[in-house]
Amino acid sequence: MNRRLGVFLLLGLFSIASAEEKFDSQLLPRPLILEYPETHEIQLKGSEDDEQQLQCTSWRFAVEANNLNPWKTVPLECAGYVKDYMTSKAYRFDLERVSMEAGSYARSLQLAGDGMDAWVFDIDETLLSNIPYYSDHGFGLEVFDSREFDKWVQNAAAPAIELSLKLYDEVLGFGFKVFLLTGRSESQRTVTVENLRNAGFRDWDKLILRALEDHGKTATLYKSEKRSEMVKEGYRILGNSGDQWSDLLGDCMSNRSFKLPNPMYYIP
Ligand SMILES: *[C@@H]1O[C@H](CO)[C@@H](O)[C@H](O)[C@H]1NC(C)=O
């Protein structure tokens, strides 16, 4: 826009100058001068974009490292960044790395063979992807609306995160007991089971959802309590996969925790 305007103004100048005829054409701006502001602007614009990109990468790092907490929505200036991240290879590569690292850790373990070695998985943004929902809701730019989200859950249409399904099958194959521990509510059990089956998950040992008495609790407390129960029953929680720190931190933490990326929302 600016560039065109600049050229237009200069052309305007030129015609005024020609009309006056006294103007020395040697003194007219050379093409170099015409181009200078244009390149300069592009460079400036470019470095502003780079800086914004870096700021958003820095924000995402703070999110993943759990340095930033609690936060409600993606910052407006990072809306495009988060969308690009979620829909590009970047998210996929990050998922792939977590899945591979978790898989090689699982493979390295000598299980006791008594059926008491367990792996805990969260569901949303860990086994199942809600990207179809979040793509209609600004990828975390909108404040979370539980009623809207529950409508989406009722469709049982969340696709598997394929790299997590791969890990899930590996872990089962190694002989782990698999526990699914989700912040979804008990009233969503049927539809959650249906969704998990549709997405290819099978043979979990327990699916634990929030009961009525769990509703006021933070995810950290609720999940800690559920892990404590597992440990009391004699299970050894050797691995835990979740996209929220509240899936992983608290009491009876797993020997190793695997944090999946999620720059779209934060659950305390
Ligand atoms: C898991 O952690 C517990 C407690 O720190 C430890 O006793 C146990 O050896 C660990 N198990 C494995 C397989 O690393």
Side-chain angles (χ1 to χ4, degrees), residues 173-191:
F174 295 142
F176 285 89
K177 282 272 161 64
V178 166
F179 295 119
L180 309 185
L181 179 50
T182 174
R184 289 188 179 193
S185 116
E186 190 61 53
S187 62
Q188 295 168 318
R189 179 177 289 275
T190 311
V191 79

Side-chain angles (χ1 to χ4, degrees), residues 7-127:
V7 171
F8 185 70
L9 284 174
L10 279 164
L11 285 175
L13 254 180
F14 185 82
S15 47
I16 292 166
S18 323
E20 286 185 0
E21 277 184 336
K22 273 181 291 177
F23 208 94
D24 184 352
S25 66
Q26 292 302 314
L27 295 177
L28 276 175
R30 314 306 320 162
L32 183 65
I33 299 170
L34 263 175
E35 281 171 18
Y36 175 71
E38 170 198 328
T39 351
H40 186 61
E41 270 166 31
I42 287 169
Q43 275 169 0
L44 256 184
K45 182 79 176 69
S47 67
E48 276 168 27
D49 286 353
D50 286 352
E51 191 138 313
Q52 188 55 61
Q53 186 89 354
L54 285 174
Q55 289 285 3
C56 294
T57 305
S58 169
W59 175 80
R60 188 169 63 81
F61 178 81
V63 164
E64 294 303 350
N66 204 24
N67 290 333
L68 200 83
N69 95 67
W71 54 277
K72 253 201 153 78
T73 58
V74 167
L76 184 59
E77 61 276 18
C78 295
Y81 171 89
V82 170
K83 180 186 175 189
D84 289 348
Y85 171 79
M86 291 305 295
T87 53
S88 76
K89 280 185 183 163
Y91 177 54
R92 196 195 147 78
F93 285 167
D94 285 344
L95 287 173
E96 196 171 317
R97 188 165 299 270
V98 194
S99 164
M100 273 167 40
E101 290 301 321
S104 60
Y105 163 69
R107 195 172 305 116
S108 76
L109 294 172
Q110 281 282 321
L111 298 196
D114 56 1
M116 299 307 277
D117 292 310
W119 197 289
V120 178
F121 286 97
D122 167 58
I123 295 182
D124 292 296
E125 265 58 62
T126 299
L127 296 183

Side-chain angles (χ1 to χ4, degrees), residues 105 109-111 117 236-238 253-256:
Y105 163 69
L109 294 172
Q110 281 282 321
L111 298 196
D117 292 310
R236 295 174 292 271
I237 306 173
L238 298 182
M253 279 174 62
S254 169
N255 282 52
R256 285 212 42 196

Side-chain angles (χ1 to χ4, degrees), residues 139-211:
F139 290 95
L141 188 63
E142 289 178 22
V143 178
F144 182 71
D145 181 338
S146 59
R147 282 204 310 204
E148 276 295 299
F149 185 72
D150 287 351
K151 278 193 227 160
W152 153 256
V153 166
Q154 285 309 312
N155 300 334
I161 293 181
E162 289 297 331
L163 293 153
S164 296
L165 178 54
K166 184 169 167 278
L167 173 68
Y168 182 99
D169 285 337
E170 277 173 359
V171 158
L172 271 181
F174 295 142
F176 285 89
K177 282 272 161 64
V178 166
F179 295 119
L180 309 185
L181 179 50
T182 174
R184 289 188 179 193
S185 116
E186 190 61 53
S187 62
Q188 295 168 318
R189 179 177 289 275
T190 311
V191 79
T192 299
V193 168
E194 184 190 338
N195 198 154
L196 286 164
R197 293 224 172 101
N198 289 344
F201 296 95
R202 60 190 172 88
D203 294 342
W204 56 83
D205 202 72
K206 255 185 215 155
L207 166 60
I208 304 161
L209 305 105
R210 270 184 205 256

